[in-house]
Amino acid sequence: MASKINIDLAVNGTSHAVSIEPRRTLADVLRDDCGLTGTHIGCEHGVCGACTVLVDDKPVRSCLMFGVQAEGKAIRTVEGLANGDTLHPLQQAFWENHGLQCGFCTPGFLMLSAGVLEQNPDMSDDEIRDVLSSNLCRCTGYQNIVKAVQIAARELRARPRV
Amino acid sequence: MSYIGRSLRRIEDRPLLLGKGSFAADCNAPGHLHMRVVRSPVAFGRILGVETAEAAALEGVAAIWTADDVAGLPPIDFRQMGLERLAPYRQWVLARHYVRYVGDPVAVVFAVDPYVAEDAADLVFCDIEELAPQLDATAEPVTFMPDIHLGLLSEPAVIRRGYGDLDAAFAAAHKIVALEVKVGRHTGVPLETRGGLAVHDADTDVLTLYGAAKVPHYNRDAISRMLGLAPGRLELSEGHVGGGFGIRGELYPEDVLLCAAALRLRRPVKWIEDRKEHLLAANHSRDQVYRLHAAVDQRGFILGLKAEVFTDQGAYVRTHGTTVTDLSAAMLPGPYVIPAYSVEGHIRLTNKTPAGTYRAPGRYESTFARERLIDRIATELALAPVEVRRVNLIAAEAMPFDRGIETLGTAVVYDSGKYRDLLERVLDRLSYDRLQAELAARRDRGEHVGLGIACFVEKSGLGPQDLVRIKVDGRGTVAIVTGVASVGQGVETVLAQICAETIGIPIERISVIHGQTDRIEIGFGAFASRVTVMAGSAVKIASEALRDRALETAAKLLQTSPDALRLSGGMVEAVGGGASLPLGDVALHLEGAGGLTGEGRFVAGHMTYPYGVHAAQVKVDPSTCAITIERYLIGYDVGRAINPMLIEGQIVGAAAQGIGGALLEEFVYDENGQPLAASFADYLMPTCHEVPAIEVLLREDAPSPLNPLGVKGAGEAGINAVGAALAAAIDAALQRPGAVTQLPITPARLHRILRGPQS
Amino acid sequence: MKPAPFDYVRPASLSEVLALLAKHKDDCKILAGGQSLVPAMNFRLARPAVLIDINDIRELDYIRSDDSGLTIGALTRHAAFHRSVVAGPLGAMLSKVASNIAHYPIRQRGTFAGSLAHADPASEWCLVATTLDAAIVAKSTRGERTIAIGDFFNGTFSTDLEADELLTEIRLPALGQGWRTGFYEFSRRAGDFALGMALAALRFEAGIVREARLGVGGVSDRAIRLRKLEARLVGGAASPQMIDTIAHEAWASVSPIGDIHATPEYRRDLVATAVRRALAEAAA
C-alpha cells in the first residue's frame, strides 16, 4: 500500500482530520473517511453527477478529484444543505414536486443546483435546464427535477440577498 | 379526510433529501472485507488455469477464491418453476471449464480495502484458450460447452403458443403482410450499482445480507438452499434501493459469494459493483428479432398472425428463466382481436452478458413489432394507420377478454378496458385531424415532422399473493409491515394512503416496513407492477380488519354499538357527535389481547391488464440525422389512481427510459464479443435535454374487477410503446412508411435509411 | 474503478514542477483539471507512478489580452470562458465554444491547456487552436520553446510535447475589426464528444472576405484546418452558393473514422453540414 498523507478537510464547516492514500477520490474520502455517505457514487468516471459536491462554492464531480486535492478548500455536501430542521428551498421544492423517486441521484442534483444558483441566481429556465443536463437520473424523466429547481430558483431570487 | 386519489408528497422523501439514505454502499460493519470480482476478459474460451499466487501475496489480501474453492456451491436456480430441462444452462457463481462472456466471474478477491482488492484482482491471471464466440441469435445454434455438455446446443428452449385456426385465416386472407424488426440490447441501468454487505452474528448464528432488493424473501430461500442454511439462519434486509427496473435484486453470483464469504472468512464482507462491472455483469435485456406474417382482410383486420421471435439470451439462462420470451409470446397480440395466432419464441444463447427482464419485458419489444406491423398493414392497404387500429381493437363489450393463451402460469384474460374509447380520447387531446394538417403544412414548407401513434396492453399485479400486518400502538401511530419491496417507486406513501383512508388516521402517523425477511414470513417483492395491486389490496383488507376490531372494542368502552362509531383523524368518534376516544387508547386497551392489529392477505390467480396509447411528434434534421421529440402524450387507464402525482412520475420516468432504448442506448459488441459500450461515455442514457415534456392523460375508466381497490399497475405504462410511437413518427417525418425496423434509431442508422447503404 | 497507487506531489512553484518533470519524465503525469486524466486512472487505463498537481501554481492561472491576441495560462479553466474574456468576436466565439464542452461541473475543473495536452480529436479547444493557428509554449528545465499548432498534434492522444515539458501557455491571435465567426457541433447528446464540428472565422471588408479560417474536428485523429478552402473563400462574398460549394469540398477532403456512434459515411456528411452551418453563421 502506498503511504498515507495526513490532511484536514473542511466539510460543511467542520474540520475532519484524515489519513489517506493520495489515490483515494474525494468521493471515497467523504464517504468512508469523513462518514458523510450522502454523496453518492454512480459511475466513477464523471458522467452521472451523483457525486457532485461544492468545492470553494463550485459544483464539481468528487469522483474526479483526489481527496488530497481538497486540502485547504471549503467543501459542501448534501448533509450541509438544510438549516437544522428547515429544508433548503431546493430540498423543499424537490419534495413538493416529486423531484425524486429512488433518491440516489438527488444529492448530486441538489448540490449542482445549489452551487449554480448561488453563482448565477438569475438563470433563465432554459439555462437551468441546460445545467441540469450535467447529471443523470434514471427514475423521474427529469420533468419534476427541472420544475423543482426552477421553482426554487424563483424563491431564492425573491429572498433578500446577503 | 380522503387520502385515495390525492397527489400527496411522499412520506419517504425526507431522509433522501437530507443525505441520510441507507443505500447498499452506506452499510458498513466493523472490520469488513471488500470483495472484488475477477472477470473474464474474453467472450468465449476454455479455462486452462487461474493463477492467484502473486495477488495473494499482496499486503491486505485476506483470501482469493476460484471455482475450486466454491466447488460445493450449485449454480443459480430459476425463480420460475418447471424448467428442469434448462438446468445445464444455469450460471455457476464462478465460471467452471469455460468462460462464456466478457465479465463472467472467474475469481474473487477479499481484501481490507476496495483499492487493494482491485490491485490484487489486477494481479490474478486467467489463462484462457480463446474460442470463436457466437454473437447472432438468429444464426443456427452451436454447442453450448464443447466436451462438458455433449450435444447440448445454444437453444435452451422454444416457446410455442397459439390459438385459433391459422390455416383458415391465411387461406381467407386478402393479403399477407410480412415484417422483420429488431430491438437492440439495452437494460435498466439503475443509478445505484449492485452491492451488499453480509454480516454473520456469531452469537445468534444468523447471517444478514444488507443491500437486498426486489425479491428479498425469494433470495433468502434461494441462497439458504445453495449454502445449506437452515431456516432462520439467513435474513435479507433492504435499505434504500437506487432504482430497480427489473434487473436489480435478482439473484446474481456476487450475492451468493458475499454470503458464503462472510460465513467462511468469519468477517463481514462488502461488495459494491463499479459501473463498468455493472454494464458487463448485471442483466442485459431486450435484444429480440421478430419475424411476423399477418393475414389481413380488406379493412386491415388481422385474421391471423404468425410470429417467430428470437431472444438473444446472452451467455446463460439466469433467474428469469424463459420469462421474457414467454411474455413476448403472450403479449404480442396486444389490444387487438387477432382471432388466430401462433408464435415460436426461440431462446438462444450467445457469448454476451446474460439477459433478464427490464421494465415492460417482452412488451416494449412486442409492442414495437406489433405496432410496426399495424403501420405496415396500413401502408400496404393504403389505409390510415389509426383506422387500422380502430378496426382491430378489442371492443369494450368483449371484456373480460380471454386471450386463450397462458403466461407465467396464469391465463391471459384482459379483465377490463375501453380500448377504442381511450384511443379516441388521445386523438381528441391531440386535435388529431388539425394536428395532422398542421404537420402536413410544415412538411410542405420543407420541414421533416411527423406523428406516430401506438396502442398497447400492459399486465400488472402478478400474484400469487401478498401479506400485510398493521399494528397501532398506544401513541396512535401505525406500522404497516409488508413483504413487498421498494425500489424507489413510492411504495410507502401509496400503502400509507390506502391505510389512512381506511382507518381514518393522518398519514404522518403511518410508517411502512418493507423488504425485511425477519419481520414477516412471506413476501413476493417488487416486480411486474404488482405492489399497489397486491400489497395495496392486502393493506386495504388488513386496514378493514383493524378498523372493525377498533370499532368493536371502542363500542364496548363507550357502551355503544360499532355502527354508531366511525374512525376519523386518529380518533374513534360517535357518528352523531359526542363521545370520542383516541385510537391509541383503543390500542392500549387491547395490549393484553394481542394489541390493535389487522392482517390482510390478498391472493390473485389472474393478472390485471391496464392499457394505453402513446403519441409522439418528432422533427428530423436530415442533415445531421438529429431527432427532436416535439411532443409526447401518453394516455393510460390505471383503473383507479391512488396518488396521481406518483403515477405520472412513474409514467414520465418510464417514458424517458423508453426514449433511451429507442434512440440512444445500445450494448454494441465487436466481432470478438468485446463490449464496446462499457462506460457512460458510450452507453448513452437520456439527460434532461433528450427528454421532452411528457403529457399524461390519466384515466380511471375501467377499474379492475379483480381487486378491492379497482387498481391496476402503473410501472410500465410509460415505457411500453415508446419505441413503437417514435418509429412511426420518424417514418411520418421522413414520409417513408416502414423505414424504421430497428431500435435504437441512432443517427448512424437514420443516416443509412436516408442515404442508403454506402461502400 | 479505483486508481492504481501513485505518489502525489503538489509543488508550489513552476520551477519545482519543471524539476519534477525532468526527474520523473514518462513515469509522471501532470494533474490540472483532471477531467480526462482521472477517469482514465479510475479505469486503470492510465497508471502514472507520480502525479504532479499544478493546481497551486497561481502564476499559471491567467488570461491576458493585447493587440496581438490572447494569452491563456495553463490553469485557465473552461468556465473562465463562460463570459467573454475579451471584447469582440474572439471572446464571443470562445464563450460559445466553451458552452459546448462537456457539462457545467466539468468546465469548473477542466482546463484549456489540459485539453490540448490530452489531444482528444473531438476536443473543441483543439479545433479552436488548430483553426486559429495558436502557438503553444512549452517549458522544461532545458528552457522554453514555442510550438506552432501545426506541429503540435501527432495524432489521437499524442502531441509534440517531450516527457519533461509542461504546456504553460497558449497564444491565440486576435480577431479584430471585421472578423465574424461561426461554430457548429453535432454530438449524440448535449455535452457529448463531437461526432463532427466546424469552426469558421471570416474577416470581411465591404462585404468581401479578406481572410478566412476554417477547421473541422471530431472527424479524424486530430482537428484539421482546411487551408485550401480558406483560400477559396477569400475574395468572395461567402454567398450561400459558395458556402455550399465549400461544404461539398470539405466533404470530399476528409477521411473520417468510424466508431460505435458514427460510420465514416455519416461523419463525412456531418462535416459538410457543420462546415455549412459554421460558415453560414460567420457570413450572416
Side-chain angles (χ1 to χ4, degrees):
Chain A
M1 264 182 279
S3 57
K4 292 185 174 181
I5 297 180
N6 297 317
I7 56 168
D8 286 323
L9 280 187
V11 189
N12 302 325
T14 303
S15 178
H16 294 258
V18 294
S19 178
I20 52 175
E21 271 188 278
R23 63 169 164 164
R24 289 183 73 78
T25 62
L26 177 58
D28 277 337
V29 171
L30 289 170
R31 292 179 51 81
D32 298 336
D33 300 279
C34 303
L36 296 167
T37 55
T39 299
H40 295 153
I41 295 177
C43 77
E44 293 180 296
H45 54 291
V47 180
C48 79
C51 68
T52 305
V53 301
L54 302 186
V55 174
D56 285 346
D57 298 328
K58 289 179 181 149
V60 302
R61 312 290 209 213
S62 62
C63 72
L64 297 190
M65 265 183 87
F66 297 108
V68 287
Q69 290 186 275
E71 189 182 13
K73 314 266 185 213
I75 301 162
R76 286 155 64 194
T77 68
V78 68
E79 287 92 342
L81 200 55
N83 182 5
D85 280 344
T86 308
L87 296 179
H88 185 280
L90 279 163
Q91 291 169 315
Q92 190 70 30
F94 269 66
W95 193 11
E96 304 290 347
N97 294 286
H98 191 31
L100 64 155
Q101 289 183 24
C102 81
F104 192 80
C105 72
T106 310
F109 271 103
L110 288 171
M111 297 317 289
L112 171 67
S113 312
V116 168
L117 289 175
E118 282 173 20
Q119 309 248 317
N120 190 357
D122 299 319
M123 280 198 301
S124 68
D125 282 357
D126 283 349
E127 288 170 321
I128 288 174
R129 176 177 282 272
D130 193 51
V131 166
L132 293 177
S133 75
S134 306
N135 285 14
L136 294 174
C137 167
R138 197 59 166 165
C139 294
T140 65
Y142 302 103
Q143 209 148 302
N144 291 339
I145 292 177
V146 174
K147 184 172 153 197
V149 177
Q150 289 169 347
I151 286 171
R154 279 190 267 288
E155 187 181 331
L156 287 163
R157 273 199 291 275
R159 289 182 165 191
R161 292 189 192 165
V162 272
Chain B
M1 184 146 97
S2 166
Y3 280 96
I4 289 180
R6 288 177 58 206
S7 290
L8 298 176
R9 65 187 187 187
R10 304 196 314 175
I11 62 172
E12 52 263 74
D13 282 356
R14 213 177 151 84
L16 296 168
L17 289 163
L18 291 167
K20 292 178 178 165
S22 54
F23 294 91
D26 304 338
C27 302
N28 292 299
H32 67 243
L33 293 169
H34 291 262
M35 182 173 90
R36 175 81 190 171
V37 180
V38 180
R39 299 180 183 279
S40 170
V42 300
F44 188 35
R46 199 188 316 267
I47 301 173
L48 304 176
V50 182
E51 291 168 27
T52 61
E54 196 184 348
L58 203 68
E59 185 188 340
V61 173
I64 301 179
W65 293 355
T66 65
D68 292 342
D69 298 289
V70 291
L73 287 180
I76 294 176
D77 250 321
F78 313 118
R79 203 139 51 76
Q80 241 176 318
M81 297 294 139
L83 298 178
E84 290 73 19
R85 70 191 186 286
L86 299 189
Y89 299 100
R90 291 171 300 173
Q91 183 172 12
W92 299 98
V93 295
L94 291 176
R96 294 184 187 184
H97 311 298
Y98 286 86
V99 289
R100 287 196 39 86
Y101 64 101
V102 174
D104 207 344
V106 176
V108 270
V109 174
F110 303 94
V112 295
D113 170 301
Y115 287 74
V116 175
E118 194 165 335
D119 294 343
D122 276 359
L123 297 173
V124 173
F125 175 66
C126 307
D127 192 4
I128 295 169
E129 178 197 346
E130 226 178 316
L131 300 166
Q134 170 83 337
L135 299 167
D136 180 0
T138 61
E140 279 305 301
V142 295
T143 326
F144 170 66
M145 279 192 188
D147 313 339
I148 300 299
H149 296 289
L150 288 178
L152 199 67
L153 292 179
S154 62
E155 181 170 78
V158 181
I159 306 286
R160 291 190 175 84
R161 297 269 189 281
Y163 57 78
D165 188 342
L166 204 62
D167 291 341
F170 276 78
H174 163 65
K175 196 157 194 179
I176 313 282
V177 178
L179 181 67
E180 176 169 331
V181 298
K182 178 171 171 42
V183 177
R185 174 170 276 252
H186 62 268
T187 192
V189 193
L191 250 283
E192 184 195 23
T193 57
R194 297 178 295 146
L197 171 74
V199 182
H200 180 243
D201 183 330
D203 296 337
T204 60
D205 196 23
V206 173
L207 176 67
T208 304
L209 177 63
Y210 299 92
K214 186 175 179 177
V215 284
H217 283 84
Y218 172 82
N219 286 348
R220 174 195 62 185
D221 297 344
I223 298 171
S224 297
R225 268 197 310 277
M226 291 178 75
L227 298 180
L229 296 175
R233 280 200 58 208
L234 173 68
E235 300 293 353
L236 262 60
S237 174
E238 168 187 78
H240 287 113
V241 176
F245 315 123
I247 75 146
R248 189 145 197 275
E250 285 300 324
L251 187 59
Y252 289 96
E254 295 88 350
D255 304 299
V256 182
L257 287 164
L258 261 184
C259 291
L263 288 174
R264 206 186 292 176
L265 303 176
R266 305 211 155 271
R267 281 173 78 172
V269 184
K270 181 172 177 173
W271 173 67
I272 301 300
E273 181 181 52
D274 71 34
R275 183 55 67 184
K276 184 175 181 188
E277 286 186 285
H278 182 86
L279 295 172
L280 296 181
N283 283 346
H284 287 184
S285 196
R286 314 293 193 225
D287 209 352
Q288 289 188 330
V289 171
Y290 286 75
R291 292 178 183 155
L292 306 180
H293 288 85
V296 297
D297 71 12
Q298 275 153 327
R299 300 171 304 143
F301 181 78
I302 301 172
L303 303 164
L305 173 62
K306 210 158 76 180
E308 253 188 314
V309 183
F310 298 86
T311 303
D312 185 335
Q313 169 59 37
Y316 302 100
V317 182
R318 278 187 172 169
T319 48
H320 293 114
T322 60
T323 298
V324 173
T325 309
D326 198 282
L327 285 167
S328 304
M331 300 298 285
L332 178 62
Y336 304 123
V337 176
I338 310 181
Y341 171 58
S342 89
V343 57
E344 270 188 18
H346 299 266
I347 300 175
R348 297 268 174 87
L349 298 186
T350 59
N351 295 106
K352 303 178 193 167
T353 298
T357 62
Y358 166 38
R359 205 170 199 174
R363 281 99 75 199
Y364 184 86
E365 307 92 316
S366 63
T367 294
F368 176 70
R370 178 188 64 247
E371 297 299 304
R372 290 276 70 197
L373 178 68
I374 297 279
D375 290 336
R376 175 67 62 93
I377 292 167
T379 305
E380 296 206 3
L381 299 184
L383 297 167
V386 164
E387 204 44 51
V388 178
R389 291 186 166 84
R390 285 189 179 117
V391 161
N392 281 285
L393 283 172
I394 296 165
E397 301 72 44
M399 295 291 165
F401 181 87
D402 188 339
R403 183 47 93 188
I405 268 187
E406 284 206 345
T407 190
L408 308 181
T410 75
V412 177
V413 181
Y414 300 163
D415 49 336
S416 61
K418 298 178 179 175
Y419 300 170
R420 294 175 182 179
D421 178 66
L422 184 63
L423 175 60
E424 299 310 324
R425 284 179 193 278
V426 166
L427 298 178
D428 218 44
R429 170 67 74 93
L430 293 170
S431 303
Y432 183 73
D433 293 333
R434 199 175 69 204
L435 178 59
Q436 285 288 27
E438 278 171 24
L439 294 172
R442 287 175 63 188
R443 284 194 295 268
D444 288 344
R445 293 197 296 272
E447 286 192 87
H448 296 78
V449 288
L451 182 71
I453 304 277
C455 302
F456 67 95
V457 177
E458 255 304 333
K459 47 152 277 296
S460 67
L462 184 61
Q465 56 164 315
D466 257 299
L467 176 67
V468 160
R469 290 205 185 90
I470 306 181
K471 183 165 188 177
V472 180
D473 69 14
R475 291 168 299 145
T477 64
V478 181
I480 300 174
V481 182
T482 163
V484 297
S486 165
V487 287
Q489 71 277 50
V491 171
E492 295 181 27
T493 301
V494 166
L495 297 185
Q497 279 182 263
I498 295 165
C499 177
E501 169 104 1
T502 313
I503 66 171
I505 201 160
I507 195 166
E508 296 76 24
R509 293 201 209 159
I510 301 175
S511 61
V512 179
I513 295 127
H514 49 79
Q516 310 301 322
T517 58
D518 62 346
R519 293 297 302 271
I520 192 161
E521 60 274 24
I522 64 163
F524 288 85
F527 56 94
S529 298
R530 68 185 300 281
V531 170
T532 305
V533 176
M534 298 302 300
S537 297
V539 165
K540 178 150 175 68
I541 294 164
S543 301
E544 285 170 350
L546 187 145
R547 179 189 63 198
D548 292 348
R549 184 137 200 243
L551 291 176
E552 270 168 39
T553 308
K556 280 179 200 148
L557 292 170
L558 296 170
Q559 296 179 325
T560 180
S561 79
D563 300 346
L565 298 173
R566 67 175 174 209
L567 297 180
S568 176
M571 306 288 288
V572 186
E573 57 185 32
V575 174
S580 72
L581 192 63
L583 200 57
D585 287 3
V586 179
L588 281 176
H589 182 78
L590 286 170
E591 244 178 16
L596 177 53
T597 60
E599 180 175 303
R601 187 185 292 266
F602 183 67
V603 180
H606 286 283
M607 290 189 279
T608 175
Y609 293 85
Y611 57 98
V613 179
H614 283 207
Q617 178 185 324
V618 307
K619 179 176 177 171
V620 173
D621 178 348
S623 298
T624 60
C625 301
I627 296 162
T628 307
I629 304 171
E630 295 189 331
R631 187 174 179 190
Y632 206 98
L633 170 66
I634 297 173
Y636 187 62
D637 189 346
V638 74
R640 187 179 184 195
I642 306 296
N643 184 323
M645 178 171 76
L646 268 53
I647 292 168
E648 289 196 16
Q650 285 295 304
I651 291 174
V652 172
Q657 290 186 309
I659 290 167
L663 302 181
L664 292 164
E665 300 172 32
E666 187 171 23
F667 290 111
V668 180
Y669 288 80
D670 74 7
E671 66 279 10
N672 299 314
Q674 286 292 330
L676 300 180
S679 81
F680 279 171
D682 289 314
Y683 189 82
L684 307 179
M685 302 198 291
T687 75
C688 66
H689 268 314
E690 287 72 43
V691 183
I694 311 258
E695 301 164 60
V696 179
L697 175 62
L698 189 61
R699 301 294 306 174
E700 299 173 291
D701 296 320
S704 175
L706 303 182
N707 64 69
L709 293 161
V711 292
K712 298 180 177 183
E716 296 159 288
I719 198 169
N720 186 307
V722 179
L726 285 174
I730 290 164
D731 277 7
L734 302 177
Q735 292 290 291
R736 297 263 300 266
V740 176
T741 56
Q742 183 175 1
L743 299 180
I745 313 153
T746 61
R749 284 201 182 105
L750 192 58
H751 184 262
R752 202 179 161 83
I753 289 169
L754 288 167
R755 306 281 187 279
Q758 294 163 12
S759 57
Chain C
M1 289 179 59
K2 310 295 186 192
F6 55 83
D7 287 329
Y8 173 83
V9 276
R10 193 167 65 222
S13 71
L14 181 56
S15 56
E16 279 179 71
V17 174
L18 300 183
L20 286 162
L21 275 168
K23 181 179 170 196
H24 297 292
K25 294 202 176 68
D26 285 329
D27 293 336
C28 70
K29 274 280 188 189
I30 295 290
L31 175 62
Q35 304 299 286
S36 299
L37 175 61
V38 181
M41 291 175 68
N42 288 356
F43 278 114
R44 297 198 176 204
L45 299 170
R47 297 171 181 243
V50 179
L51 207 52
I52 305 172
D53 183 349
I54 62 167
N55 282 283
D56 275 0
I57 319 292
R58 302 324 303 174
E59 63 192 282
L60 293 174
D61 187 4
Y62 59 86
I63 301 178
R64 296 185 198 116
S65 143
D66 58 27
D67 291 346
S68 67
L70 207 57
T71 314
I72 300 164
L75 264 187
T76 306
R77 319 270 173 192
H78 307 316
F81 299 92
H82 279 166
R83 292 194 178 85
S84 193
V85 295
V86 55
L90 181 59
M93 182 270 286
L94 292 173
S95 182
K96 180 178 180 185
V97 170
S99 71
N100 279 270
I101 300 173
H103 290 285
Y104 188 92
I106 302 293
R107 299 198 291 267
Q108 303 300 319
R109 299 286 306 164
T111 64
F112 193 116
S115 290
L116 265 54
H118 184 54
D120 190 307
S123 148
E124 288 84 356
W125 290 144
C126 292
L127 172 63
V128 167
T130 299
T131 307
L132 296 190
D133 213 8
I136 307 297
V137 178
K139 284 184 181 166
S140 68
T141 51
R142 296 175 289 118
E144 174 182 322
R145 65 177 178 133
T146 303
I147 310 166
I149 196 71
D151 300 325
F152 184 72
F153 295 114
N154 289 337
T156 304
F157 304 141
S158 171
T159 71
D160 190 51
L161 287 173
E162 299 290 338
D164 65 342
E165 281 183 319
L166 178 73
L167 194 173
T168 57
E169 185 175 287
I170 298 103
R171 295 180 187 148
L172 290 178
L175 295 181
Q177 232 184 358
W179 281 97
R180 296 214 292 257
T181 65
F183 174 73
Y184 184 81
E185 170 174 340
F186 185 79
S187 53
R188 292 202 56 191
R189 297 172 305 180
D192 283 340
F193 277 114
L195 299 187
M197 61 181 161
L199 176 66
L202 305 175
R203 186 171 67 80
F204 285 89
E205 268 176 38
I208 301 298
V209 175
R210 292 300 173 196
E211 286 182 81
R213 306 266 186 279
L214 182 63
V216 294
V219 177
S220 51
D221 74 342
R222 69 196 83 176
I224 309 164
R225 186 165 162 198
L226 303 169
R227 287 175 187 271
K228 280 185 190 158
L229 302 185
E230 290 175 357
R232 295 208 43 189
L233 282 158
V234 172
S239 65
Q241 295 76 10
M242 174 57 107
I243 289 175
D244 270 348
T245 305
I246 298 288
H248 181 74
E249 290 187 14
W251 179 92
S253 70
V254 294
S255 309
I257 48 169
D259 59 28
I260 68 166
H261 301 298
T263 56
E265 295 79 18
Y266 170 49
R267 268 209 170 84
R268 187 189 292 271
D269 283 356
L270 273 180
V271 164
T273 300
V275 165
R276 185 180 296 111
R277 292 182 181 181
L279 279 173
E281 186 195 347

